């Protein structure tokens, strides 16, 4: 199996990185090929703009959706986008690691979605969800949070749970593009749980990785 690990955290030695290293060592240790996109280390350009295209179809009035479709059809993406798309194309499993920031992903990861999972490459008109352009691939989010599991519940302080917080990525990005979405791994309160809590998270995550082939994807209607 080919695995693409996308890591979106400014620190190379975060707890998030410790989870990422598990993905690399456990999945890589069983004969899989693992590629890593460490977005901060790559200084990945997050904002979509005209530099994303080697040529514009309509420079007088740029419509980014149509430019993405044109670039997908004619191979006109900038080299950094092309390189990431090649990794996505090869991957059977995409594991995306990030800290939850403002109930969402760090901007650099949002930029990776915006620029890499482009129209005509990952989805197209009428080609979404089960007809999305990335079929046969699985995706999984691995996140850390500041808040604990109790406040991430319908009755908790945040008034919503992690399935809902991550819905816009799991459903709105991965499933939208045709991928099957594995349940996310969430290390709540990564800082406050202390050494023992973090040790348990690493153990739980390792156990999850060892049975990744048998994990049931989330059932969306
Ligand atoms: P780190 O701070 O890197 O590490 C936590 C602890 O783990 C540290 O003590 C570190 O020493 C230790 N550690 C590092 N490596 C290892 C290892 N190998 N083994 C064991 N321990 C290790 N939280 C929310 O819940 N909701 C939000 O909406 C939210 N918004 C935020 C917005 C911003 C802009 C920021 C900066 C933070 C926000 N947070 C939010 C908090 C954020 O989610 C957490 O700070 C983050 O997820 C913690 O994970 P980390 O990997 O950065 O932890």
């Amino acid at each position: 199996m080919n695995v693409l690990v996308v890591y979106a955290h400014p620190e190379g030695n975060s707890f998030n990185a410790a989870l990422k290293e598990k993905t690399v060592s456990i999945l890589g240790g069983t004969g899989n090929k693992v590629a890593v996109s460490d977005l901060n280390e790559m200084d990945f350009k997050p904002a979509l703009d005209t530099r994303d295209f080697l040529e514009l179809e309509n420079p007088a009035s740029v419509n980014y959706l149509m430019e993405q479709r044109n670039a997908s059809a004619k191979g006109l993406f900038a080299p950094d986008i092309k390189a990431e798309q090649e990794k996505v194309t090869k991957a059977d499993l995409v594991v995306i690691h990030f800290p939850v920031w403002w109930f969402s992903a760090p901007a650099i990861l949002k930029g990776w979605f915006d620029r890499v999972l482009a129209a005509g490459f990952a989805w197209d008109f009428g080609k979404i969800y089960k007809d999305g352009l990335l079929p046969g691939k699985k995706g999984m989010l691995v996140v850390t949070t500041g808040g604990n599991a109790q406040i991430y519940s319908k009755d908790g302080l945040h008034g919503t749970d992690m399935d809902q917080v991550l819905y816009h990525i799991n459903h709105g990005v991965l499933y939208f593009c045709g991928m099957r979405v594995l349940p996310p791994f969430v290390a709540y309160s990564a800082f406050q749980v202390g050494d023992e809590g973090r040790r348990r998270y690493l153990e739980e995550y390792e156990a999850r990785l060892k049975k990744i082939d048998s994990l049931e994807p989330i059932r969306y209607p």
Side-chain angles (χ1 to χ4, degrees), residues 35-195:
V36 179
S37 289
D38 181 336
L39 301 185
N40 287 82
E41 192 188 65
M42 291 156 68
D43 201 13
F44 185 79
K45 171 180 168 287
L48 193 162
D49 59 29
T50 51
R51 289 170 295 171
D52 288 6
F53 310 102
L54 301 183
E55 235 175 68
L56 290 170
E57 186 177 39
N58 189 358
S61 173
V62 177
N63 175 318
Y64 283 95
L65 187 53
M66 300 311 284
E67 292 297 344
Q68 284 192 333
R69 295 182 80 225
N70 183 54
S72 294
K74 298 182 186 158
L76 292 175
F77 283 111
D80 66 331
I81 296 176
K82 199 162 171 269
E84 291 305 295
Q85 288 178 338
E86 280 169 8
K87 291 183 203 169
V88 171
T89 299
K90 278 191 197 139
D92 304 296
L93 170 68
V94 181
V95 185
I96 305 177
H97 291 259
F98 64 93
V100 172
W101 282 1
W102 294 116
F103 275 40
S104 188
I108 202 165
L109 178 58
K110 174 64 165 49
W112 190 86
F113 296 149
D114 293 345
R115 299 177 66 235
V116 177
L117 302 182
F121 168 73
W123 67 281
D124 210 336
F125 298 152
K127 293 189 175 161
I128 59 175
Y129 298 119
K130 68 177 175 41
D131 299 320
L133 298 181
L134 302 180
K137 300 182 191 300
K138 291 180 187 169
M140 180 170 78
L141 305 183
V142 181
V143 305
T144 52
T145 74
N148 61 40
Q150 286 72 41
I151 65 170
Y152 279 108
S153 66
K154 296 262 171 2
D155 302 325
L157 196 57
H158 286 332
T160 189
D161 61 24
M162 198 43 75
D163 287 342
Q164 283 307 310
V165 170
L166 297 177
Y167 184 85
H168 69 294
I169 301 175
N170 272 335
H171 191 278
V173 178
L174 305 180
Y175 188 57
F176 185 90
C177 296
M179 298 171 78
R180 280 169 295 157
V181 183
L182 300 180
F185 183 86
V186 184
Y188 290 101
S189 228
F191 184 71
Q192 283 92 339
V193 289
D195 290 340

